[in-house]
Amino acid sequence: MTQFMKLFLAGLITVVVTMTAVVGTAAAAGPENQITILYDAFGKDGSMQKDWGFSALVEVAGKRILFDTGNDRDIFAANVKAKKVDLTKLDFVVLSHRHSDHMAGLAYVLSVNPKVKIYAPKEGFGIYGSSLPSSFYRKDEALPPDMRYFDGRPPAVMTFGSAWQGANFELIDKTTEIAPGITLIALVSDVPGTRELKELSLAINTSDGLVLVVGCSHPGIDKIVEAAATINPKIHLIAGGFHLVAASDDAISKIVATLKDTFKVENIAPGHCTGEPTFAALKQAFGDHYIYAGIGTSLVTGSAGGAGQRRGEAPALDADDLVSYRRLAAREDPFGLATWRRKLANTEGDATRR
Ligand SMILES: [Zn+2]
Ligand SMILES: [Zn+2]
């Protein structure tokens, strides 16, 4: 192929991709590009019930994705009805991880939409079901058949059931683009208490940049964003739980600095296990770009950009950037947040004494 032909084809593809994006947006006119919080323990919508846990309806690019399902089947069902969400019209469900405050509403989802595709992390002998070649266990040919598993003739592949028998699970082991521009980031927690816990985060490329929805961020919100930045370094919005609910001021400051200064996250819509002091710190750091995302809130996002689209000029972090980000992350109180909070506490103390 000549250089001219290559350029011509590249141009043609760009035009077609752009047209598809525009048509896609126009055809699905309406409030389709939004994220609606269906389950959380804070919020202003009086018609919904607050409870610990997380769920969000992600409507982007004509896709309707249910991300997590909350902590209690009945509360989840009531909140879904309060927002008039039709769960029979879902493209798929994502279960971020195996904690019950993200999964308990799945029973309700399956009661109205039993065949819906559900993406979940692949875990050995996990709650979503799994399988292994029967060669995984040691054999002893000398034993009589009635002392041997399967009388000494196991199936080639042994399957282990899921807690939702018959549900249409697709288990995700590594970061996968499951639809054009829609990627499930698969990471593993290395934190004591949740070590080896696998978690999926949802990354969607939009015309505004990457929109990232996280469940609990057990692998670390910084690790998730680092992975997301390799898809598109322009991170437009992060919504969900950052798991800093019991973190120290120092740890919070480091994460806030990482999100704001290193990854230049544009907008932040924290919820669930992010934590009250982290809400305060993020609000202070992001100002107008802190988007309130309590239960019932709908966050408007950009329209989908499709697969492979890279927006923004910022290059992905190279090795040098990563070194400086880690150095920054290691710095004490980079935003002066700890000092600010200490001052605040002292002022309050003075006021009480008076
Ligand atoms: Zn959680
Ligand atoms: Zn969790």
Side-chain angles (χ1 to χ4, degrees):
M1 209 186 295
T2 66
Q3 197 60 28
F4 172 77
M5 278 296 283
K6 275 184 198 161
L7 279 172
F8 177 74
L9 270 178
L12 192 67
I13 288 164
T14 310
V15 167
V16 169
V17 166
T18 312
M19 278 176 70
T20 312
V22 170
V23 169
T25 311
E32 76 281 11
N33 293 311
Q34 62 179 14
I35 299 170
T36 304
I37 310 299
L38 294 174
Y39 212 102
D40 211 323
F42 71 103
K44 302 173 189 172
D45 191 328
S47 71
M48 299 173 82
Q49 205 176 323
K50 298 178 191 82
D51 184 32
W52 190 262
F54 189 67
S55 172
L57 180 71
V58 181
E59 296 168 281
V60 174
K63 290 258 190 285
R64 298 181 87 242
I65 305 161
L66 181 66
F67 185 90
D68 284 341
T69 62
N71 185 51
D72 178 288
R73 185 195 57 190
D74 298 336
I75 296 175
F76 176 73
N79 286 347
V80 162
K81 283 172 195 156
K83 290 307 276 186
K84 297 187 172 61
V85 172
D86 185 355
L87 291 182
T88 66
K89 295 196 176 74
L90 289 176
D91 288 284
F92 53 86
V93 176
V94 176
L95 291 180
S96 63
H97 65 300
R98 58 173 153 80
H99 284 164
S100 55
D101 56 336
H102 297 252
M103 298 195 308
L106 185 62
Y108 176 68
V109 179
L110 291 171
S111 74
V112 298
N113 193 345
K115 288 289 149 215
V116 67
K117 163 78 72 77
I118 305 158
Y119 291 102
K122 183 173 188 174
E123 309 205 52
F125 291 92
I127 197 164
Y128 311 117
S130 58
S131 62
L132 275 179
S134 56
S135 56
F136 89 91
Y137 70 88
R138 285 182 64 198
K139 314 287 187 292
D140 189 340
E141 316 280 345
L143 278 178
D146 61 1
M147 282 183 73
R148 301 195 62 199
Y149 300 127
F150 304 98
D151 306 309
R153 295 188 303 275
V157 174
M158 289 166 62
T159 54
F160 311 105
S162 91
W164 300 270
Q165 193 162 339
N168 180 16
F169 279 109
E170 182 163 337
L171 303 180
I172 300 291
D173 205 18
K174 58 178 197 313
T175 296
T176 307
E177 188 175 34
I178 51 170
I182 302 178
T183 302
L184 291 175
I185 295 171
L187 290 173
V188 183
S189 168
D190 193 29
V191 180
T194 55
R195 195 158 276 151
E196 296 188 354
L197 174 79
K198 293 192 179 174
E199 184 164 336
L200 302 179
S201 306
L202 176 66
I204 305 172
N205 238 342
T206 77
S207 53
D208 294 335
L210 203 71
V211 170
L212 183 61
V213 185
V214 293
C216 259
S217 303
H218 291 294
I221 184 65
D222 50 337
K223 302 266 168 47
I224 297 171
V225 174
E226 190 178 352
T230 64
I231 301 168
N232 184 346
K234 186 178 191 287
I235 300 188
H236 177 63
L237 171 71
I238 309 177
F242 299 179
H243 204 69
L244 295 165
V245 78
S248 67
D249 281 351
D250 278 357
I252 293 169
S253 296
K254 280 170 193 164
I255 292 290
V256 171
T258 301
L259 298 178
K260 183 138 197 308
D261 299 339
T262 309
F263 291 107
K264 312 226 177 325
V265 173
E266 293 172 349
N267 299 284
I268 205 104
H272 184 40
C273 54
T274 300
E276 294 179 0
T278 319
F279 288 152
L282 287 167
K283 175 80 185 144
Q284 209 212 6
F286 281 82
D288 289 348
H289 296 272
Y290 178 100
I291 302 173
Y292 179 83
I295 192 167
T297 304
S298 286
L299 318 165
V300 176
T301 71
S303 55
Q309 182 170 346
R310 298 286 184 275
R311 289 309 206 111
E313 274 64 59
L317 286 179
D318 59 23
D320 283 354
D321 287 336
L322 278 173
V323 167
S324 53
Y325 134 59
R326 292 201 172 108
R327 201 177 298 136
L328 179 75
R331 218 169 83 193
E332 285 256 305
D333 196 17
F335 276 157
L337 268 171
T339 320
W340 172 67
R341 293 182 63 78
R342 233 175 281 129
K343 243 186 240 161
L344 201 71
N346 285 341
T347 323
E348 277 165 6
D350 290 350
T352 329
R353 251 173 266 130
R354 244 178 256 134

